[in-house]
Amino acid sequence: MSEPGWVQNTIRIGRFEFKRSFRGLRESTGRFIFTILSTLVPSVMFLFIGLLLVSAISTDTIAISDGLRGTVAMFWSFAVFLVTQRVVSTYPRPEAESLLLTTASTRSVVFGLALAETLRVLAYAIAPILVLAALLAYSIGSVVLMAVVPLVVVLLAVTAVVTGSLIGYGIALLLATSPFVARHKTALSVPVVLVFMGVFFVFQVPETLGVSRSAFGWLPMGWLADLVAVGTPLSGSSVNAVGAFAGSILVLVLGGVLLEREATALWFGDEVDPTATTDESGIDSPVADAGSKTRTWTGLRTAISPLVIPSRIDLPTRRVAEMTLLRARRDPRRLSFLIMPLAVLVGPLSTSGSFSSLLEQLPILCVTFLPWIFGAAMTLNPLGDEGSVLPVTLVAATPSQFIRGILLPGVVYGAPVAAVITAVTAVGGGYSLPVVVGLAAVAAFVTLVAAPAGAAVGVYLPRFSAVSVGQSNDVLPPRTSAMIVHGILIIPPAGLLAYLVASPGVAEFVSEILPIVTPTAVRFGVSAAAVLVGVLVGLTGYRTAIHRVRDYEPT
């Protein structure tokens, strides 16, 4: 039940949360400057482009087309994706939860958080939108646009926030109530994110499939573009405008009701314990092996199942590897930095031009980026990941055992997974069998090199201070400098090897510059040199990491 005056409480909570976000942004000078620039640069760009083209705009040349509707639908879907991601990873629960939920109703709190998120979205978009509205109003001589365009943007932002929050709280509720999902959330999140990002990418860049943006003009969220034409000289569909307005009201009303119910179930329900299968202390317990005097420790092995570290590995090394996998499973936020290559992949994939070109580029991009991802996942902050138990770990395991344990997940699982994914994409790209095998081998080899290289970089550039991610201040991702150095060491050579294997034209180009060298000799020579350098980098990284751990003195 909601309390009397819940609307006022909603406004107070939303305003307070927005102000708190703004204060937190001002405390970080770098983030504050980046945010200001990300708002001002598009505004200035739109202003200059608009001033150059304003004379060519007339009411006869501006119509609400299906292409414009499809573009609006894509922007709306992008906003929904961002809000969903923020709700799941950053704001599944309100700050000062006990205080808020005892002084205000669930409706006030969840609506207030949605209002704050809407204000954050509008804070980024208001300057560019006002510039575009002013230019459009001036060019066609309609002052009404100065009011209509911001109102449509507000409606778009509110519906996107409600939809994204609804999806986000639904995912958070599933994580909180499903033992299987809570236990395997890391393993499940990787394919889900990859599939979702793939669908989202195709929706954002439909030209890769040979589909025009106008093909998405039938989506109801794109009809918001027709609302801009209401009361202005622009030509649009009145039926679509009415449908967009009625649909938006339906989303707000129905979404608000479902949002309140989801938040109530999430915030007041009992959460499952993903470690319930372990003993009460959460630590391994000794169990006597029947018929043997040896004792095995089953707690960690059970906690990371179905993943398994080979039993023939010595016990300290195996325990370090199992703890590394367990930390990643229990707190996958520490692996969020691995999403960065997706932003890099968008550029080449969006310019591929067609679906066939996309399939041809994908295996090369897999060879280029997957070894970095699987090599960096567990190795870029080995000392910092141990936290307060680092001295105990360094006493219980020798430096070589510690480093081998850090490398084992990448060796046992990273290299085979990289090879399989690369082989599947290469087959889909239409490559011949020798090229498929070569690309898969290169992906596995570079992953094996990337793991010790990451350990060497990580022990020299550790991060011990936690960073703030939403309500949590104990997330320890690797240092940005460590990620950059490791990326420079791995990504360019991996890309070179991938192109040499998949594109004979590279070797032919070199042979044209040096006529005395045949293309076959170029490919063999460069590949052999790259493999030799890779082996040296891997061995050097492994030995360097061991020496650094041996000389390290915890403070």
Side-chain angles (χ1 to χ4, degrees), residues 202 212 218 223 259 277 300 324 352 358 379 381 404 420 474 487 491 534 538:
V202 171
S212 173
W218 60 271
W223 297 350
L259 198 58
T277 55
L300 274 176
T324 301
S352 57
L358 173 64
T379 63
N381 193 28
R404 286 200 298 269
V420 170
D474 57 353
I491 293 177

Side-chain angles (χ1 to χ4, degrees), residues 79-282:
V80 170
F81 168 75
L82 291 180
V83 174
T84 302
Q85 185 269 336
R86 283 174 56 82
V87 169
V88 174
S89 62
T90 308
Y91 300 109
R93 295 181 177 273
E95 292 282 355
E97 181 179 357
S98 300
L99 175 62
L100 269 180
L101 296 180
T102 53
T103 56
S105 65
T106 305
R107 178 183 297 178
S108 300
V109 175
V110 72
F111 286 3
L113 295 178
L115 175 60
E117 192 68 16
T118 303
L119 293 176
R120 296 186 190 105
V121 173
L122 294 177
Y124 283 97
I126 191 64
I129 292 301
L130 288 178
V131 170
L132 287 175
L135 290 172
L136 191 59
Y138 174 77
S139 62
I140 66 176
S142 176
V143 184
V144 180
L145 282 173
M146 287 296 297
V148 173
V149 172
L151 288 176
V152 172
V153 171
V154 170
L155 194 59
L156 186 147
V158 173
T159 53
V161 168
V162 171
T163 305
S165 299
L166 197 62
I167 300 173
Y169 283 122
I171 296 174
L173 182 61
L174 184 63
L175 292 172
T177 56
S178 173
F180 177 80
V181 175
R183 180 173 175 80
H184 303 285
K185 60 182 179 181
T186 302
L188 293 174
S189 62
V190 173
V192 169
V193 169
L194 291 177
V195 171
F196 185 84
M197 288 296 295
V199 174
F200 177 75
F201 168 78
V202 171
F203 186 66
Q204 292 295 322
V205 193
E207 290 81 5
T208 57
L209 296 176
V211 180
S212 173
R213 291 178 185 267
S214 59
F216 299 104
W218 60 271
L219 294 173
M221 64 281 293
W223 297 350
L224 289 169
D226 291 282
L227 284 175
V228 179
V230 176
T232 68
L234 300 177
S235 58
S237 172
S238 57
V239 176
N240 287 350
V242 173
F245 183 77
S248 300
I249 299 300
L250 181 63
V251 167
L252 295 180
V253 174
L254 184 59
V257 173
L258 296 177
L259 198 58
E260 181 181 0
R261 294 187 178 184
E262 278 188 348
T264 301
L266 175 63
W267 296 341
F268 293 98
D270 295 329
E271 292 191 21
V272 298
D273 183 9
T275 63
T277 55
T278 59
D279 59 359
E280 292 181 357
S281 63

Side-chain angles (χ1 to χ4, degrees), residues 62-74 213-214 217 222 225-226:
I62 296 183
I64 308 301
S65 62
D66 286 339
L68 181 58
R69 296 186 186 100
T71 302
V72 172
M74 293 175 186
R213 291 178 185 267
S214 59
D226 291 282

